[in-house]
Amino acid sequence: MARQIVEGVGGAANIALIDHCMTRLRLTVMDIAKVDVRRIQSIPGVLGTMTRGGQFQVVLAEAVVPVSAQVRSLMQGDQSPAVPDTPTGPDMPAAPATANRYDRLAAVIIDNVGGAGNVKALEHCSTRLRFTLADPGRAKVDTLKRTEGILVW
């Protein structure tokens, strides 16, 4: 199933980030036009798909954890899948060319929550980061919402 999903989203080179929640495989893809939704929906075990918050999501229910691990395993041969040179959206900081995709997202997040000095506490819960900020008014929430790979509530 994992190989079929990777092929259905346009191959490993089209996957920028892999994540999952309790029931969904969440893929941030480079080019949504390369995703063959019908092909993926026809895979036995796939319960549905959706595009939300810049992610292509595959509903797998209890199969999500092993399938996510298999997708990651398929990606192991490609240690640096294609990632935009800079995150999308206006006023995005330029990331160094050597930064990996997580470094780039971390830099965008820190810059747009008002800098590291504005972070009082940081917690993680499954696939989410929860920030407690000294001055919430310094956060650029709209910029974060426009950044590929980041979902903001």
Side-chain angles (χ1 to χ4, degrees):
M1 180 187 312
R3 185 171 306 280
Q4 291 173 298
I5 291 171
V6 170
E7 291 169 358
V9 297
N14 197 36
I15 300 173
L17 295 171
I18 304 165
D19 204 352
H20 70 85
C21 65
M22 293 294 289
T23 60
R24 293 182 227 153
L25 178 64
R26 298 170 183 246
L27 303 171
T28 301
V29 294
M30 300 301 300
D31 183 356
I32 196 71
K34 293 181 180 179
V35 176
D36 186 341
V37 175
R38 288 187 181 148
R39 178 178 178 184
I40 293 170
Q41 289 177 338
S42 72
I43 299 169
V46 170
L47 304 174
T49 63
M50 66 182 68
T51 302
R52 187 172 196 184
Q55 293 179 328
F56 179 72
Q57 301 179 11
V58 183
V59 182
L60 299 169
E62 67 276 351
V64 72
V65 173
V67 172
S68 177
Q70 292 165 359
V71 169
R72 287 178 193 280
S73 179
L74 289 169
M75 299 293 294
Q76 291 280 307
D78 184 3
Q79 294 297 318
S80 56
V83 184
D85 288 336
T86 57
T88 58
D91 303 319
M92 291 289 124
T98 56
N100 69 35
R101 64 188 179 272
Y102 300 114
D103 290 339
R104 291 176 186 175
L105 285 174
V108 170
I109 292 168
I110 294 299
D111 286 347
N112 287 288
V113 296
N118 196 35
V119 178
K120 287 176 53 177
L122 174 63
E123 300 174 71
H124 69 88
C125 177
S126 186
T127 61
R128 292 164 178 82
L129 295 175
R130 295 181 180 157
F131 289 86
T132 303
L133 303 177
D135 180 2
R138 289 175 48 196
K140 299 175 185 172
V141 177
D142 289 338
T143 302
L144 286 169
K145 286 181 178 179
R146 291 188 308 267
T147 303
E148 186 175 345
I150 299 175
L151 298 174
V152 179
W153 276 270

